[in-house]
Structures are given as structure tokens and as C-alpha cells.
Amino acid sequence: MNKLELQKCANQLRKHIVTSLHAAKCGHPGGSLSAADIVTYLYFEEMNIDPKAPDKPDRDRFVLSKGHVAPALYGALAMKGYFPEEELVKLRKTGEMLQGHPDMKGTPGVDMSAGSLGQGISVAVGMALSAKLSEEDYRVYTLLGDGEIQEGQVWEAAMFAGHKRLDNLVVIVDNNDLQIDGSVADVCSPYPIVDKFKAFNFHVIDVDGHDFDALDAAFKEARETKGMPTAIIAKTVKGKDVSFMENQASWHGAAPNDEQYETAMADLEKVGEALCQK
Amino acid sequence: MSEVKKIATRESYGNALVELGKEHEDLVVLDADLAAATKTGIFKKEFPERHIDCGIAECNMMGIAAGLSLTGKVPFASSFAMFAAGRAFEQVRNTIGYPKLNVKIGATHAGISVGEDGATHQCNEDIALMRTIPNMVIINPSDDIEARAAVKAAYAYKGPVYLRFGRLAAPVINDKPDYEFEIGKGVTVREGKDITIVATGLEVGFAVEAAENLEKDGIDARVINIHTIKPIDKDIIIKAAKETKKLFTVEEHSVIGGLGSAVCDVLCENAPAPVYKIGMRDRFGESGPAAELLHKYELDAEGIYKQVKANL
């Protein structure tokens, strides 16, 4: 996909995110919207996957370590054709497929159940190690929040991945700068994030997480990096493209009401229309 | 009396992994800097490329095991029970139990027979913790023969299994030509019609010895070996409750949440019967030689005998 197509895709994904969370009446819009471009790039450009064969052994893997932004993953999976888009508005409903946090047992295309922070990265590391052990070529991607990296297990996993030189692993940090209780820098600063991953023997790339050219260059650089895992520190905006949600910690875990939903969708329509003018 | 062969079940674990490793290339073993103690070092010597030392990071180890299981390997993640079930509880619950992954957890150094290391390393809570996780199978073998059979059965079973092993050399009690191991199947190791002693792990051998001493007092005690605590063999327990007057459960574990609780759960729903739970009675252990601790906490044959007599 070219840059414009990816942007349109991400815009559509954001509409799905807002719509599914509005229907659910709860959930996590802020981080889902900040991660939307990264998830779009992974599913529509980067990963070797086949919606018709979700379990094929040589596919690339994705572990959503920050599992609370499941709506971003679900939207991408539906758009790819893993399941019907009608499922998205059944998010978080009793007896339905789409759980509040990803459940691999019930949802086609979900490579691993996740959501308890700090744990998904270890699973991704295990998958990457597995490929090395059996000399397979698939690559493994995992997306973490910048608040999530306060979890000690993240650094256990990073130490191991660096030690084992897992160059088939890409760790992406969605650096939207906000967590539930406020700014990550105020709550318990994870900064400097770049230096931390460097110290754990990662190749680190600092990018604008909403710029598809930058993301494209970063993931290509990760592919070319040998002998060490890559960490992509993606600077993002929490609540991206929904005016009243942008940079607001309060939109970490609250769904829009009917009125807010209309405003949010109008905001996203505007972004979409601007892309159509290009 | 002839010399009884003794071997620690952690040793059986290491040996069984080697036997399995020869047959199955997908088997991988993880450890967290305890290979010499958990005995996965035996496997490491044979198959260094399939032994993964994760360093002192048990939570991460459980996640790595999950990732390996998702990509075609059969991982055995090993540490002390304290760290495998205790420290990494939530990782085991969310990353292994919830997605029902094919991960085997080899937890050694369970119970107070850890000995001199003391209370911080004597895990008397692991069975209780693991029992609460849906999908988890829990096996606590009684000797070398059962432990090796359990490791092989765990490999053959698809899904998460918690294997509990001891540090202390335990007498071999299952050296019989007709011995068979089946997950979830209790074993009547001694017939009896007065009372039933339901034991698990290291305590099975002690329970048999206690039953022999009780016989001298005219008490005919049945002894049941529950090697699989989950799923538990309900039938064998209900039958014992109906055919004998009282049940005594014996475990090297807290009386809260372990075998005793599992037996009571079965009985209160199916065949209410009096049960006395022998185990660690809501307290921590301490440092000391294993045999002395087992004696002090009345978890050796003499202790079981005394507690049965006092609570008939």
C-alpha cells in the first residue's frame, strides 16, 4: 500500500475503534487511537499473514502486549477479513466473540491472549526464540504502551531478547505520553526510553508514530538489523484525530456517549475527506 | 529389612526429560538459573541446544514458554515451586492457563522437605494456587517411578500441567510389574475398611507406613494415592467415604486449598463424611534438616500415625 492508502486505512480503523467503543459503552479509546497507524502499518504493509489461513505456521506473529487497545486490533482484523465487521459493535458483550482484551481461543487472527500488562512481550520473545531454535523465517512484533514499560517483566523480557540477539523481534512502544493517572513522566517516568532499550542491547529507532514514511523506514531498518532485536519508540498522540480526546488522560478508559460519538465521527470524517482531496 | 531405594522426584524429572527429549525433538526445557537444583541440568548435558536458561526471571520464563508452545514446541518450564507457582502465579494464570497453552511447569522443591533453606523457599501454597486456575492439571507424584510416568503423561497431554516435585530423596514405592499411571486416576495402595488415608506426593510412603502401625492397634486403614490433584478422582474418594468411617488427608502443603480441601470439595457435594486434614496447619516452615522438619510438623509416618489416633 502507498502512504495515502495506509492513511485512509488508518482513518477507517479509527472509525471502527470509536464505533465499537461507543457500542460497548466502555473500553479504551485513547490508546487505541494512538496505536491505529502502527497497527495499520503492521497489518496492511509489514506482516506476512493470510486471513484465509490464520494459523499458517510460517506467518509473522503479533502480540498486543497493551491488550486494552484491543479495538485497534479487532478493527484491523475485521478490515483484513478475519471476521465480519458486524462483529465490531458486539465488543465486550456477554457471550460474544470480542472480549475486552484479546482472546486467542475465540477470535480468528489473534495470535495470543493478552492484556495483563508486561506479559505479552515475554510471549513475543518466546515466539522469536522458537523461530531461531527451529531455523524458521517468520518475524514477531509486539506493541507495548509507554505506561506498560513500568512493569518489571518488560525489562526481564528485554534483557533476554538482547542477550539472545533476537533480530526477528520488533518491540514497538506506543509513546503517547499518558497513562491512567496522568502523564507517564509525572506518574513514574520511563524516560529516557531510547537509552533504556539501547542499554538492553536493542537497536532503537525513534519515530513519529503517525508518519507512515517514518514507520515504513523504521520497519525496513528493523528488517535489515542483524544480531540484535529492534525497539521502535513511536511518538504518538493519545486519542489521535478525535479533537476532544487528543492528549487527554481521561480518555484512556472511557467510551464516548451518543453526542460525543457524533462529534468523534465528524472529526474522523473530516480527516477522511482531507485524505480524499489528496 | 531390605534396603529401600531412594531417589528425589526432581531427579526423576531431569531423567524423564532426557528420555522424552530423545524421542521428541519438539521438547524444550526452560530454567531460571536453577538447573543444578531442579535437575534440568541433566537434560542440558544431553541437549544443550534445547535447554534455555532464562536467568533469574521466572515471570518472563513463563511467557517465553507460552511463546514457544504457540510455535510448535512443548516447553517444560522449571523452577522451585515457590517461584513457579508463587512469583509467577499471574503469568501462569493469564499467559498459560487462560489460553490453555501446551506448557508444562516443572516445580521442584515443594513443601517443607526443602529443609535448611527455610520458610522463604518452602512452598506450601502451590497446590492451592494452581487449583484455582481453570484448565490446569496438577500432578504430585509419590516416587521416582510415578514421577517419570507423570512427566511422560504430561508430555502426551495437550494443555497446561503443573508437576510438583520434591528435593528430598523419597523411597521407591511403586516398583510393581502392574504399575500404570493415568492422569486423574487415584490408586488404592492399601486396602482397608475402618478409615481411609488419602495421601499425595512424598506423604504416600509415610501414609503406608503409618497404616501398617495402625494395623497393630487394630485399625484397618485404606491408603489412597492421589497423584493427580486436579482433575481429582472423585469416584475413589466417594467410595472410600461410603465404605470407611473417616478420611484423613495427608499432604506436604497447607491444609488450606490443597489435597485436603480438594477431597472435602468432592465429599461435601457428593457424600458428606468426616475428614481430618493433615498438613501444614496455616503456618510457615523453618530451617532444619528435612527429616527433622517432617517429624516436627508431624508429616512423617509417626506424625501421621499420631494424628490419626488423636482424631479418630
Side-chain angles (χ1 to χ4, degrees):
Chain A
M1 269 189 187
N2 64 33
K3 182 180 176 179
L4 184 60
E5 288 167 331
L6 285 166
Q7 286 172 319
K8 285 179 180 174
C9 239
N11 178 246
Q12 182 58 40
L13 176 55
R14 286 192 168 91
K15 287 176 186 167
H16 281 315
I17 290 167
V18 169
T19 303
S20 61
L21 287 165
H22 171 250
K25 298 189 169 68
C26 61
H28 301 88
S32 299
L33 293 167
S34 68
D37 296 310
I38 298 160
V39 172
T40 297
Y41 187 84
L42 285 170
Y43 276 86
F44 291 87
E45 186 64 27
E46 175 69 9
M47 291 200 298
N48 168 29
I49 47 170
D50 180 1
K52 290 188 191 71
D55 298 325
K56 68 170 183 164
D58 66 342
R59 73 189 186 282
D60 289 343
R61 266 78 171 176
F62 176 64
V63 180
L64 184 63
S65 202
K66 53 176 296 188
H68 55 282
V69 308
L73 173 60
Y74 296 156
L77 290 174
M79 287 163 72
K80 288 292 286 188
Y82 283 90
F83 50 80
E85 291 187 359
E86 294 77 61
E87 287 292 328
L88 295 174
V89 291
K90 301 180 203 163
L91 173 69
R92 290 174 166 249
K93 305 284 189 208
T94 309
E96 297 296 340
M97 177 177 76
L98 298 180
Q99 297 296 296
H101 294 80
D103 173 14
M104 61 170 282
K105 294 196 304 298
T107 311
V110 172
D111 288 321
M112 177 58 191
S113 306
S116 179
L117 296 179
Q119 298 186 22
I121 181 175
S122 294
V123 180
V125 169
M127 291 170 164
L129 174 71
S130 189
K132 292 286 180 192
L133 286 176
S134 42
E135 294 174 359
E136 292 169 271
D137 292 332
Y138 62 83
R139 293 174 65 75
V140 184
Y141 302 85
T142 183
L143 179 64
L144 280 73
D146 51 4
E148 179 179 9
I149 66 174
Q150 291 161 348
E151 288 281 4
Q153 188 179 342
V154 169
W155 303 104
E156 292 183 4
M159 190 182 293
F160 184 91
H163 171 71
K164 292 285 183 188
R165 304 175 180 277
L166 300 177
D167 52 19
N168 52 350
L169 174 74
V170 182
V171 172
I172 308 130
V173 178
D174 180 10
N175 185 198
N176 62 33
D177 218 25
L178 292 170
Q179 60 188 118
I180 296 175
D181 283 350
S183 143
V184 294
D186 290 342
V187 174
C188 182
S189 179
Y191 296 113
I193 300 173
V194 168
D195 291 348
K196 281 194 176 68
F197 276 99
K198 276 185 183 166
F200 281 79
N201 296 314
F202 274 65
H203 176 64
V204 188
I205 309 168
D206 209 359
V207 295
D208 175 346
H210 302 306
D211 177 346
F212 280 107
D213 287 333
L215 287 170
D216 187 60
F219 281 101
K220 285 198 165 74
E221 190 176 318
R223 241 171 226 284
E224 285 153 15
T225 301
K226 300 297 172 202
M228 62 203 313
T230 293
I232 296 176
I233 315 304
K235 189 79 201 75
T236 59
V237 173
K238 196 147 183 160
K240 173 75 174 163
D241 285 351
V242 174
S243 54
F244 59 94
M245 289 186 185
E246 285 197 357
N247 293 312
Q248 299 298 317
S250 57
W251 283 102
H252 172 88
N257 62 25
D258 292 349
E259 194 184 327
Q260 290 161 335
Y261 173 66
E262 294 302 326
T263 309
M265 290 302 278
D267 286 347
L268 292 170
E269 280 299 333
K270 259 184 249 166
V271 173
E273 280 164 21
L275 290 171
C276 288
Q277 307 299 319
K278 287 191 180 176
Chain B
M1 197 177 153
S2 64
E3 190 72 13
V4 181
K5 192 183 164 201
K6 283 188 171 187
I7 183 165
T9 50
R10 59 176 166 143
E11 193 94 32
S12 322
Y13 176 51
N15 289 330
L17 289 175
V18 171
E19 289 167 33
L20 277 171
K22 284 176 186 162
E23 291 171 42
H24 306 285
E25 283 197 3
D26 57 4
L27 184 142
V28 292
V29 175
L30 296 88
D31 209 307
D33 196 42
L34 289 170
T38 62
K39 299 297 174 189
T40 68
I42 304 170
F43 181 88
K44 186 179 183 176
K45 209 173 155 191
E46 276 310 302
F47 304 105
E49 73 289 350
R50 282 194 273 154
H51 184 277
I52 301 145
D53 201 326
C54 299
I56 310 167
E58 297 80 9
C59 299
N60 182 48
M61 175 175 72
M62 293 305 173
I64 290 175
L68 288 162
S69 82
L70 284 162
T71 45
K73 312 292 189 292
V74 183
F76 280 72
S78 323
S79 186
F80 290 180
M82 190 72 252
F83 315 126
R87 178 184 300 245
F89 171 77
E90 200 226 317
Q91 283 74 12
V92 173
R93 186 222 186 247
N94 273 327
T95 298
I96 295 170
Y98 177 47
K100 204 180 178 184
L101 297 183
N102 195 27
V103 174
K104 319 303 169 186
I105 299 162
T108 68
H109 294 64
I112 59 162
S113 60
V114 163
E116 290 84 347
D117 275 356
T120 52
H121 287 57
Q122 294 164 348
C123 191
N124 298 311
E125 303 83 16
D126 55 327
I127 297 173
L129 288 164
M130 291 297 111
R131 275 184 69 217
T132 61
I133 300 176
N135 300 327
M136 186 61 73
V137 169
I138 305 167
I139 305 176
N140 185 30
S142 60
D143 74 347
D144 174 55
I145 289 166
E146 196 158 273
R148 281 188 284 124
V151 176
K152 288 175 186 171
Y155 176 86
Y157 173 83
K158 298 288 173 233
V161 180
Y162 181 82
L163 294 153
R164 187 184 208 241
F165 304 112
R167 171 174 184 260
L168 184 68
V172 174
I173 57 172
N174 292 302
D175 193 7
K176 299 163 195 151
D178 60 343
Y179 178 79
E180 275 179 35
F181 181 89
E182 187 184 330
I183 290 176
K185 192 104 179 110
V187 183
T188 303
V189 289
R190 189 183 195 278
E191 293 293 348
K193 60 184 188 324
D194 294 333
I195 62 158
T196 302
I197 304 174
V198 184
T200 188
L202 181 68
E203 296 301 323
V204 176
F206 291 137
V208 172
E209 209 180 316
E212 283 161 5
N213 289 329
L214 288 164
E215 188 166 25
K216 292 171 193 160
D217 297 343
I219 300 162
D220 187 14
R222 182 180 301 186
V223 178
I224 293 170
N225 169 14
I226 294 291
H227 51 63
T228 308
I229 293 166
K230 189 181 173 187
I232 199 162
D233 186 343
K234 291 181 181 175
D235 294 344
I236 203 169
I237 293 165
I238 293 168
K239 188 165 178 278
K242 288 180 175 166
E243 293 176 357
T244 63
K245 287 190 279 290
K246 188 165 185 175
L247 289 89
F248 294 81
T249 59
V250 195
E251 61 198 305
E252 198 197 350
H253 183 275
S254 171
V255 293
I256 300 169
L259 170 71
S261 297
V263 166
C264 289
D265 287 351
V266 171
L267 293 181
C268 70
E269 285 183 2
N270 298 283
V275 177
Y276 185 83
K277 296 195 272 188
I278 297 171
M280 289 297 279
R281 300 198 73 84
D282 198 17
R283 63 190 302 181
F284 292 106
E286 62 179 297
S287 287
E292 284 182 29
L293 294 179
L294 289 166
H295 187 70
K296 178 172 178 176
Y297 293 95
E298 298 192 313
L299 289 170
D300 59 0
E302 190 187 331
I304 297 168
Y305 168 83
K306 275 207 268 188
Q307 293 197 66
V308 169
K309 289 281 280 187
N311 295 282
L312 275 172

